Amino acid sequence: MPKTYQNPRYPYRRSTDQDVGRGHHPVIIVGAGLVGLTAAVDLATRGVPTVVLDDDDTVSFGSRALCFSKRTLEIYDRLGLGDKLQAKGVTWNRGKVFFQDRLIYGFDLQPEGGHRWPAFINLQQYYPEEWLVERAAETGLVDMRWKNKVTNVTQDGNGVTLSIETPEGPYELTCDYLLAADGARSQVRRCFGLSFDGQVFQDHFLIADVIMKADFPTERWFWFDPPFHPGQSALLHKQPDGVWRIDLQLGWDTDPEEEKKPEKVIPRLKAMLGEEVDFELEWVSVYTFQCRRLQRFTHGRVFFIGDSAHQVSPFGARGGNGGVQDADNLCWKLAAVLDGRAGESLLDSYDAERIPAADENILHSTRSTDFITPKNGISRAFRDATLELAAELPFARALVNSGRLSWAYSPPHAGSGPLGPSSLGPGSPCPDAPLQRGNERSWLLHQLQGGFFGIYFTDAPLSEEESGKLARLTGDHPDLKSLVIAKQGCRNPQSDLGVWQDCDGLFEARYGATPGSFTLVRPDQHVVESWSVLDCEAAARSRAAALV
């Protein structure tokens, strides 16, 4: 098969630990895929060195985790890669749903303006993995060890011990904390005898990366029961480099190995694209829907992230995005524990926060699977009737499920917060908003990088009392910085003192902010708590509670 991308090959290098047969490190990450590399770079930005072990010597093959969501792009921007992903990726916000030979409706995932990043970009997984390897090298804090295969893992109260096989023989490592990012077939998980709870659906799907010149728009197109593939479903996405991603439902009574052969794939694609369209296959795979997770993601000093912890179907782009958000949640906490700002009990919150997020992804993924692949005649009749109604009636479109596309998880927020019903609840990811200071334009999330932040909202120049309160709060807590935002249209003579203006009023709207309100934000850009007035003692208590 032709290739638009040549996988880099990273050399195996002997480590100094091998010279003595053993070594100790604060954090070891098993798996140099998308999620493991994200965790390594995230920890490096917080000053934490890591060793990354991988049994291969390259990045992934094929597009795999293709759709990167707005929240994931926000995370990668903090890690120094956001612009690079967007520049290479195919940006899209819109999608279309077809039933048989008819367009049923279209949708826009980001109808409002005032966002730094699009709803999604399409980008083959090997690109961000390669750039993460480069970014890891730039930090000087990530020890990448290719062709280092983990064969056994044990732990006790003092740490974790790993047995590793290399081209030059075995050696051992120990660490204080281990991050298992070694995927759905995790060797670390196998060493601890852990299994998934959940469902494996009886259906096969074909993924094909196809090189072709085509005039399809940069949208997500999904077909139910199309004439070119009757009784099944199909999905089309545009990627960079003239590559298109096509997913075709095959049914359970198919042989996955046979279906991957070009002589089986090409006729299916010609039926879809037309005999006159020239295309070449770049990568082909067959998969089954799996919606499963570990009962717990934390086991002593071992943390499972990404596919090693949970699996979902590809429809909805919840696998890779969910794994990146696992790393985003865990790494700031691990850094706080390692530098002594927090006790180990903080790490328990990884389970408390990411298991509900995984359950939400699994729920949406399971519902998508049930709608896309009805299991009996009644289910199919309901689905087809829903699609018919959706062509004319907007209420029915909410019932159509071709994959509920990934969105950042927010914990349930009961009732009205201190800033009213529109305010963000504790644990909510911070929405972005444009800011301005003089002639300088920026984005809120770009300013919320490097620790805890307190956002003070005002409709007037700061008084001496307000300035004094903020100075004392940040002075007493060196890891807490303040950000002052002035109301849209407010005359702001203090712009040269670091005050930003809510130039389009979107911070006020998205945060439910009122003049004098204060919002405390965690290092992973999630809300800790909000107050209608600045209460330094309450803010200090909340910051302390966020580290417990």
Side-chain angles (χ1 to χ4, degrees):
M1 293 183 184
K3 292 285 184 182
T4 58
Y5 175 83
Q6 295 299 318
N7 280 62
R9 295 290 174 179
Y10 302 109
Y12 161 80
R13 291 191 177 95
R14 184 179 179 85
S15 67
T16 55
D17 293 329
Q18 290 170 262
D19 294 334
V20 294
R22 192 175 180 88
H24 181 83
H25 301 272
V27 180
I28 293 176
I29 300 171
V30 180
L34 184 73
V35 177
L37 291 168
T38 299
V41 173
D42 195 326
L43 286 167
T45 65
R46 304 182 192 282
V48 178
T50 60
V51 172
V52 180
L53 306 172
D54 196 277
D55 59 1
D56 205 350
D57 63 353
T58 188
V59 295
S60 66
F61 290 92
S63 55
R64 299 189 185 276
L66 165 68
C67 300
F68 292 86
S69 70
K70 180 161 69 72
R71 179 58 192 145
T72 296
L73 293 173
E74 291 167 353
I75 293 167
Y76 281 137
D77 185 47
R78 180 172 56 76
L79 300 183
L81 292 172
D83 288 335
K84 200 164 189 175
L85 268 71
Q86 187 175 32
K88 181 66 176 178
V90 173
T91 294
W92 67 277
N93 293 313
R94 292 189 56 80
K96 290 177 180 175
V97 176
F98 300 84
F99 180 40
Q100 297 171 351
D101 59 351
R102 292 174 296 150
L103 171 64
I104 301 300
Y105 67 92
F107 58 87
D108 191 337
L109 293 168
Q110 192 160 282
E112 64 174 9
H115 292 278
R116 168 69 180 86
W117 304 101
F120 284 92
I121 65 164
N122 287 348
L123 183 64
Q124 297 93 317
Q125 182 173 326
Y126 41 71
Y127 281 119
E129 286 187 4
E130 180 180 350
W131 299 334
L132 283 163
V133 172
E134 294 169 357
R135 183 76 181 93
E138 290 171 3
T139 69
L141 290 174
V142 182
D143 181 354
M144 298 291 309
R145 299 189 185 181
W146 305 99
K147 291 294 184 182
N148 275 240
K149 181 179 181 180
V150 174
T151 57
N152 194 42
V153 184
T154 60
Q155 69 171 321
D156 56 28
N158 298 317
V160 184
T161 300
L162 300 92
S163 301
I164 302 158
E165 187 63 52
T166 74
E168 295 181 332
Y171 73 110
E172 282 193 348
L173 288 177
T174 59
C175 61
D176 298 317
Y177 300 101
L178 177 68
L179 275 57
D182 50 343
R185 298 180 178 87
S186 170
Q187 172 65 12
V188 178
R189 194 178 64 236
R190 193 175 298 119
C191 288
F192 287 101
L194 302 173
S195 60
F196 282 128
D197 294 330
Q199 239 178 319
V200 177
F201 293 87
Q202 293 191 348
D203 215 325
H204 291 130
F205 282 78
L206 173 78
I207 297 178
D209 283 351
V210 179
I211 305 169
M212 65 176 176
K213 292 182 179 179
D215 57 1
F216 299 113
T218 53
E219 299 174 338
R220 180 188 194 261
W221 284 14
F222 194 98
W223 289 265
F224 292 95
D225 193 15
F228 57 80
H229 196 47
Q232 309 288 6
S233 64
L235 175 67
L236 176 70
H237 266 297
K238 186 177 182 179
Q239 305 180 63
D241 306 328
V243 179
W244 295 77
R245 166 79 166 265
I246 296 172
D247 292 53
L248 294 173
Q249 182 184 359
L250 299 176
W252 185 242
D253 57 348
T254 51
D255 183 337
E257 293 305 314
E258 282 294 315
E259 293 295 338
K260 286 191 290 187
K261 294 179 178 178
E263 58 266 31
K264 296 284 285 187
V265 176
I266 290 173
R268 294 187 186 279
L269 297 182
K270 284 188 173 183
M272 177 182 184
L273 302 171
E275 291 287 340
E276 72 283 359
V277 176
D278 290 328
F279 64 85
E280 298 178 276
L281 297 178
E282 182 173 71
W283 175 70
V284 175
S285 182
V286 173
Y287 64 90
T288 58
F289 278 167
Q290 300 186 49
C291 298
R292 312 185 297 169
R293 70 165 173 86
L294 290 175
Q295 187 175 16
R296 291 182 292 116
F297 300 167
T298 302
H299 292 263
R301 293 174 173 267
V302 179
F303 302 89
F304 291 88
I305 57 177
D307 285 352
S308 72
H310 44 73
Q311 294 175 273
V312 292
S313 74
F315 293 134
R318 293 176 176 273
N321 289 299
V324 169
Q325 291 163 37
D326 287 346
D328 181 57
N329 182 280
L330 176 62
C331 288
W332 76 269
K333 300 171 182 176
L334 195 55
V337 171
L338 287 167
D339 69 15
R341 290 184 294 114
E344 285 193 334
S345 59
L346 174 62
L347 301 176
D348 295 336
S349 66
Y350 172 62
D351 263 10
E353 293 179 347
R354 290 311 296 168
I355 284 178
D359 285 344
E360 180 178 88
N361 284 334
I362 287 170
L363 176 64
H364 284 301
S365 189
T366 301
R367 288 175 174 173
S368 299
T369 304
D370 288 338
F371 194 87
I372 293 167
T373 63
K375 303 304 183 288
N376 53 53
I378 294 175
S379 296
R380 183 174 292 274
F382 169 80
R383 187 199 71 178
D384 292 354
T386 302
L387 291 166
E388 293 283 2
L389 288 171
E392 302 294 337
L393 301 173
F395 88 88
R397 293 170 192 171
L399 303 176
V400 175
N401 195 335
S402 65
R404 295 281 188 260
L405 286 151
S406 176
W407 201 254
Y409 173 75
S410 289
H413 178 35
S416 176
L419 305 185
S422 62
S423 63
L424 298 169
S428 299
C430 290
D432 212 352
L435 303 176
Q436 187 163 352
R437 184 171 60 192
N439 294 324
E440 182 183 1
R441 298 276 295 195
S442 187
W443 294 91
L444 174 63
L445 293 186
H446 193 70
Q447 301 303 316
L448 301 180
Q449 297 186 13
F452 284 89
F453 273 85
I455 308 173
Y456 186 70
F457 187 65
T458 181
D459 62 352
L462 291 184
S463 67
E464 287 187 14
E465 180 184 5
E466 291 170 317
S467 296
K469 280 186 174 181
L470 290 170
R472 286 193 298 275
L473 181 61
T474 56
D476 291 342
H477 307 286
D479 66 339
L480 173 59
K481 303 172 186 177
S482 65
L483 179 68
V484 180
I485 299 178
K487 185 180 176 72
Q488 181 186 24
C490 171
R491 181 176 174 273
N492 182 24
Q494 294 172 310
S495 60
D496 59 337
L497 300 178
V499 177
W500 291 89
Q501 189 166 79
D502 184 15
C503 51
D504 295 332
L506 292 174
F507 171 80
E508 181 177 10
R510 291 171 181 168
Y511 286 72
T514 55
S517 64
F518 186 78
T519 300
L520 183 64
V521 177
R522 302 188 325 194
D524 62 349
Q525 300 174 335
H526 285 240
V527 172
V528 179
E529 197 168 347
S530 298
W531 297 266
S532 57
V533 295
L534 174 56
D535 183 332
C536 291
E537 291 184 359
R541 287 195 300 271
S542 286
R543 175 202 155 276
L547 289 168
V548 174

